[in-house]
Amino acid sequence: MVWFAVICILITIKLFNCLLIARCKSKVCLVGKTALITGGNSGLGHQLAKELACRGCSVIIADKVDARRTVEDLIKETHNPKISHRIVDFGSFASVQKFAENLKNDIDQLDILCNNAGTGILTNDLTEDGVQSMMQINYFSHFLLTHLLLDLLLKSTQGRIVHTSSMAAYLEDLSEENLSFRTYSYKTPLCLAAYGNSKLALAIMSKILSEKLRDTRITSNCLHPGIVKTKIYGCTFSNKIVTGYLLWVWAMLFGKNIEEGVQTMLNLACADELETISGEFFMECRSVLQPSKVYDKKFCTAIWNLSEKYVNLQESEKIEAVINRSK
């Protein structure tokens, strides 16, 4: 009887999760648009590349892994030849800078920037730039990349920046002192706060971007895709963190498949009704209440200013300067 009850509960949870899954209803044509997807070689990024390409969009996959095979498969599947890839290491600011420089030499305009690349592996290792690797890959490198590509986005008739955050952003202990994780404490339950900090930083970045870009045609929003069956849980699992085991089991039992998980991201990237919505946090294609620290303007400004310092952002690369040049 106990096992029967357990099975009934699990089935009920699964059915409840299925009922909650939202769908992007937009059928907009994206011919003439260009999208850049970081981490587009696998998982949600790969699925988003496919969805946008099916709508006629020119898609650039930015990933540390050589994506030539992925591009070939996507072209065959979508019948869209305008899919390409570029290699970039988000664990290196120099690599991000070189990538952005080369991209700006090759394209005239960017309409959709999806900051999606990320890692679930938590280590104490610092990158060559002196930053904790998870925070650099998940947040700092995207902070830098967004600034470096802003002039391309400003040339779009309606630019969109989409950040893949997470519900983990609500379970964080982010502070000015541990932003780069140099003094990060592992006392937080199951170490989930480490990942959450990087995702909260993305949400803060999205919010401030929306404010700084208020008078432009660029929007910035972030999202929680849900618990999706992707490799990120396998990476965390292999890192032998208790959280990884739990999330991996939960994802296998109740998680969304890739096609279901990409819906909110796709909606933010192309839905007409969202073309003026900015600075919001989305789940299941709906705007939800953001993590409390996102509403603390003093804290968010401090995080932003420190981020500029950590990525060594030049005065000419700051948003105000880029906007002034575009006028």
Side-chain angles (χ1 to χ4, degrees):
M1 291 297 294
V2 174
W3 282 109
F4 178 75
V6 170
I7 291 173
C8 288
I9 291 172
L10 293 177
I11 292 175
T12 301
I13 294 174
K14 181 65 176 179
L15 291 174
F16 182 71
N17 285 345
C18 290
L19 290 174
L20 288 178
I21 295 174
R23 294 276 178 175
C24 173
K25 299 178 181 179
S26 174
K27 302 297 182 183
V28 64
C29 175
L30 296 176
V31 173
K33 301 287 187 180
T34 300
L36 172 65
I37 305 170
T38 70
N41 191 49
S42 62
L44 291 171
H46 176 271
Q47 185 65 29
L48 181 63
K50 175 183 173 182
E51 297 284 354
L52 296 181
C54 284
R55 289 163 169 78
C57 189
S58 296
V59 178
I60 302 168
I61 292 172
D63 206 293
K64 183 178 180 179
V65 178
D66 190 324
R68 279 177 291 185
R69 180 62 181 273
T70 298
V71 169
E72 292 174 1
D73 292 342
L74 283 173
I75 290 174
K76 290 179 182 179
E77 191 170 0
T78 65
H79 303 287
N80 183 346
K82 296 181 179 180
I83 306 173
S84 60
H85 81 285
R86 292 169 184 255
I87 294 178
V88 55
D89 180 3
F90 287 98
S92 165
F93 293 149
S95 178
V96 172
Q97 289 169 334
K98 182 178 180 181
F99 166 82
E101 182 180 349
N102 291 336
L103 185 66
K104 287 192 286 187
N105 287 332
D106 294 338
I107 67 173
D108 299 321
Q109 174 182 307
L110 184 62
D111 302 283
I112 302 166
L113 170 60
C114 184
N115 290 325
N116 170 73
T119 179
I121 299 178
L122 175 63
T123 72
N124 281 318
D125 297 335
L126 299 182
T127 66
E128 63 186 39
D129 301 295
V131 179
Q132 197 274 340
S133 58
M134 178 189 284
M135 183 58 92
Q136 179 155 344
I137 294 169
N138 292 3
Y139 169 63
F140 281 119
S141 284
H142 288 102
F143 182 91
L144 176 60
L145 179 66
T146 301
H147 280 83
L148 296 178
L149 298 182
L150 187 59
D151 49 356
L152 291 179
L153 286 160
L154 285 167
K155 294 177 181 178
S156 173
T157 55
Q158 209 280 301
R160 302 192 188 198
I161 307 174
V162 180
H163 313 268
T164 304
S165 184
S166 168
M167 188 178 287
Y170 296 83
L171 305 170
E172 48 71 36
D173 67 352
L174 184 65
S175 68
E176 296 175 46
E177 290 72 27
N178 69 18
L179 178 61
S180 70
F181 285 134
R182 289 194 178 96
T183 58
Y184 182 76
S185 170
Y186 286 81
K187 294 180 181 179
T188 50
L190 302 177
C191 300
L192 183 59
Y195 182 74
N197 286 357
S198 67
K199 294 304 183 178
L200 173 62
L202 270 179
I204 290 173
M205 169 186 166
S206 177
K207 186 68 172 180
I208 295 185
L209 274 173
S210 71
E211 294 170 356
K212 288 180 175 289
L213 298 171
R214 184 181 294 112
D215 296 327
T216 72
R217 295 184 299 274
I218 302 174
T219 60
S220 173
N221 293 288
C222 62
L223 69 122
H224 166 63
I227 304 297
V228 188
K229 298 173 185 177
T230 65
K231 293 181 180 179
I232 193 168
Y233 296 111
C235 292
T236 308
F237 180 70
S238 67
N239 202 37
K240 300 180 180 179
I241 297 175
V242 176
T243 307
Y245 287 94
L246 296 177
L247 288 176
W248 181 80
V249 172
W250 185 265
M252 293 305 104
L253 289 174
F254 307 114
K256 303 176 181 178
N257 59 42
I258 297 294
E259 193 270 337
E260 293 169 337
V262 81
Q263 295 301 311
T264 301
M265 190 185 303
L266 176 62
N267 203 48
L268 286 173
C270 67
D272 287 336
E273 61 268 25
L274 297 179
E275 65 179 11
T276 60
I277 304 300
S278 191
E280 300 297 324
F281 196 109
F282 282 77
M283 295 184 192
E284 301 301 339
C285 298
R286 300 178 184 88
S287 175
V288 299
L289 192 67
Q290 307 211 41
S292 59
K293 286 182 180 177
V294 176
Y295 300 103
D296 185 338
K297 290 188 176 181
K298 182 178 179 181
F299 177 75
C300 291
T301 299
I303 294 299
W304 181 275
N305 292 338
L306 283 171
S307 298
E308 290 182 338
K309 176 182 176 182
Y310 281 127
V311 304
N312 193 29
L313 199 68
Q314 303 302 302
E315 288 297 325
S316 61
E317 296 168 343
K318 293 183 179 181
I319 292 178
E320 295 78 8
V322 178
I323 291 176
N324 286 334
R325 286 200 304 271
S326 69
K327 293 179 179 179

